Amino acid sequence: MTSTAIENALVINGVDKTFGATDRPAVLQDVSLQLARGEFLAVVGPSGCGKTTLLRIIQGLETATSGTVELPSTTGAAPRLSYVFQRSSLLPWFSVRKNVAFGISLKAGRDVHGSKVARDRAVDELLELTGLSPYADYLPNQISGGMQQRVNVARALAVRPDVLLLDEPFSALDALTRERLQVDICAILENLGTTAVLVTHDIREAVFMADRVAIMSAHPGTVRQIVEIDEPRPRTVAFQHSPELAEVERSIWRRLHPTV
Amino acid sequence: MTTTMSEPGTVTDVPTRTRRTSPARRAALRTPYGVISIVAGLLLWELLVRVFEPNPLVIVAPSTIAATLWELFRTGSIWPDLIVSMQGFAIGYVLAAVVAIALGLAIGASTILYRWTNPWVNALYATPIIGLAPLMIIIFGFGLQSKVAVVIALVIFPILINTVAGARAVSTDYRELAVVYQASRFETFTKVLFPGALPFILTGLRLAVGRGLIGVVVADLFGASSGLGLNLQQSAQSFDTPNIFAVTVLLAFLGIVLTGVIEFFEHRAHRGMK
Ligand SMILES: Nc1ncnc2c1ncn2[C@@H]1O[C@H](COP(=O)(O)OP(=O)(O)OP(=O)(O)O)[C@@H](O)[C@H]1O
Ligand SMILES: [Mg+2]
């Protein structure tokens, strides 16, 4: 098998999760996923099927009841994870710029960009990319919800994560900004070789951005099917509105709504 | 309801309903009611004293208090007591604040620590610790140290209790952010917990001002070589009512100014939090 030769960046093995007493219904049951280095996996599924819980387990914010999450390292250093929360979680006492710089201003992230100059430049680039440069000195409560979400994404990218976890990062954005960010972020992740897991309700977004789309079902939350998207990356704007994409989108939609 | 007909294409002025405050209301908003109220109250006090001429041992007129204050500063006789009291207050207040904020953040950050210490903090906050003032005099003597000790004992708990509440009120999202980006313990305190708890901390600091001033005065009553409390006590022994009022007004002034300054920062901190 060739797949064993591919180097994995994230291996999730038979993860179960039950909150509280063990007689409670399982939120996640036997979830297993493997992501090759640089791979982009999207996860779609009905609300409450445990998508956020899965990401939190990967990040280590929650512990699995059983099963394992492995982050194989190539360099020997612990792989760096970063997480874009479903809710905007900007620190209200820091400006937009300081929020973006949060991760790399800490001791743990300072070495990502060698010097202070390099850190500042990286932040400037991310502000530019997310269209936030004019708002760099604003406080989070002075910018719109969509802009806040862009700051969240920029902050997560600033630490150059090996594995990026995105929990519905674009859900608060208008359609135009969303499509632009989808293209841009695809390109960045492709450039940096970042492995990514994107949780989304937007099937089109999943198909456009991901190499594979995992379809989850609820009660208990489990991965029912994985759909490969045969389209080379980086994805272009042309693919965003292509009939091929629409075709895949429809077929995934049907699998999520079997009774319709 | 009236209907206006307009020809097609003509531009009619639509009466706009801007939310404009009426001139009368704006004037009302500008009126410094607080100042007027205080001035009126003082005038009334002055008038009543002059009309009814009560026993000057019991109450004196504001003009008498003002004259006494003026004398205290003109002759400079108040300075030795004022300085030692303010030193006691400032040192005690700052030490207590530093300790209470650091300790409060640590307690607020840890559920275990919180559970163990919370009963103590609550009980001690409710305890009239001023009762221990004589003990402080025994331990620390008649000088500055005992004043500092009494101020610390009175001031530390309101700041501590508010800091703990503030740290616990910091959203889990922000704490998890610190986990995701592997903030060190110290970084979590300085970049997340302290700024998050700041509005609460400032409230604690504000409430502590009054208690601290009480502490520094009361400490003197159990024995002191100098201080505003001693000054008050001596005034009482010599039936110098104007001096009692003058020193009290001075203390009130200090309390009001300090509280006002902290309140200013408190408003700003709250505004930043949305
Ligand atoms: N801390 C918790 N304690 C108890 N139950 C929880 C906890 N967190 C999540 N759950 C439960 O786990 C289930 C899955 O929640 P989760 O947030 O992972 O869903 P989701 O797929 O992300 O949903 P959505 O698409 O609406 O964001 C829900 O039924 C929820 O009630
Ligand atoms: Mg979710």
Side-chain angles (χ1 to χ4, degrees), chain A residues 19 24 27 45-54 62 86 168 201:
Chain A
F19 284 101
R24 289 259 213 102
V27 170
S47 182
C49 72
K51 305 182 295 293
T52 297
T53 306
L54 179 62
E62 213 80 71
Q86 188 164 5
E168 303 189 33
H201 276 129

Side-chain angles (χ1 to χ4, degrees), chain A residues 91 98-106 155, chain B residues 177 181 191-192:
Chain A
L91 298 171
K98 281 193 149 184
N99 266 288
V100 173
F102 181 70
I104 52 175
S105 71
L106 302 173
R155 175 177 60 195
Chain B
L177 205 64
Y181 293 101
K191 297 202 169 199
V192 178

Side-chain angles (χ1 to χ4, degrees), chain A residues 56 87 93 105 107 156, chain B residues 173 176-177 181 187 191 195:
Chain A
R56 288 175 59 83
R87 284 189 300 260
W93 43 86
S105 71
K107 265 206 301 296
Chain B
D173 291 9
E176 288 188 341
L177 205 64
Y181 293 101
E187 286 167 335
K191 297 202 169 199

Side-chain angles (χ1 to χ4, degrees), chain B residues 56-160:
Chain B
L57 283 180
V58 176
I59 191 162
V60 295
S63 57
T64 316
I65 300 171
T68 313
L69 263 175
W70 170 251
E71 276 305 300
L72 285 177
F73 282 99
R74 197 185 56 82
T75 61
S77 63
I78 194 69
W79 284 120
D81 289 332
L82 181 60
I83 286 172
V84 77
S85 285
M86 285 307 97
Q87 274 178 338
F89 173 80
I91 296 171
Y93 186 86
V94 170
L95 285 179
V98 170
V99 171
I101 291 169
L103 201 61
L105 292 179
I107 293 174
S110 150
T111 312
I112 297 285
L113 207 55
Y114 174 74
R115 287 191 183 147
W116 277 97
T117 56
N118 192 42
W120 286 96
V121 173
N122 276 330
L124 287 168
Y125 177 63
T127 306
I129 296 176
I130 194 76
L132 293 179
L135 184 64
M136 304 290 185
I137 313 294
I138 295 174
I139 300 172
F140 296 109
F142 287 1
L144 185 62
Q145 281 184 5
S146 56
K147 296 188 218 309
V148 171
V150 174
V151 171
I152 289 178
L154 280 180
V155 153
I156 199 161
F157 291 104
I159 306 178
L160 183 64

Side-chain angles (χ1 to χ4, degrees), chain A residues 56 59 61 81-83 85 87 89-94 102-103 105-108 110 141 155-156 159, chain B residues 170 173-174 176-184 186-187 190-193 195-197 271-274:
Chain A
R56 288 175 59 83
Q59 173 68 58
L61 292 172
L81 286 160
S82 69
Y83 192 123
F85 289 89
R87 284 189 300 260
S89 56
L90 300 178
L91 298 171
W93 43 86
F94 285 152
F102 181 70
S105 71
L106 302 173
K107 265 206 301 296
R110 212 168 285 166
N141 65 2
R155 175 177 60 195
V159 297
Chain B
V170 173
D173 291 9
Y174 302 152
E176 288 188 341
L177 205 64
V179 176
V180 168
Y181 293 101
Q182 297 165 43
S184 69
F186 183 70
E187 286 167 335
T190 55
K191 297 202 169 199
V192 178
L193 288 176
R271 228 185 15 218
M273 300 285 182
K274 88 187 150 244

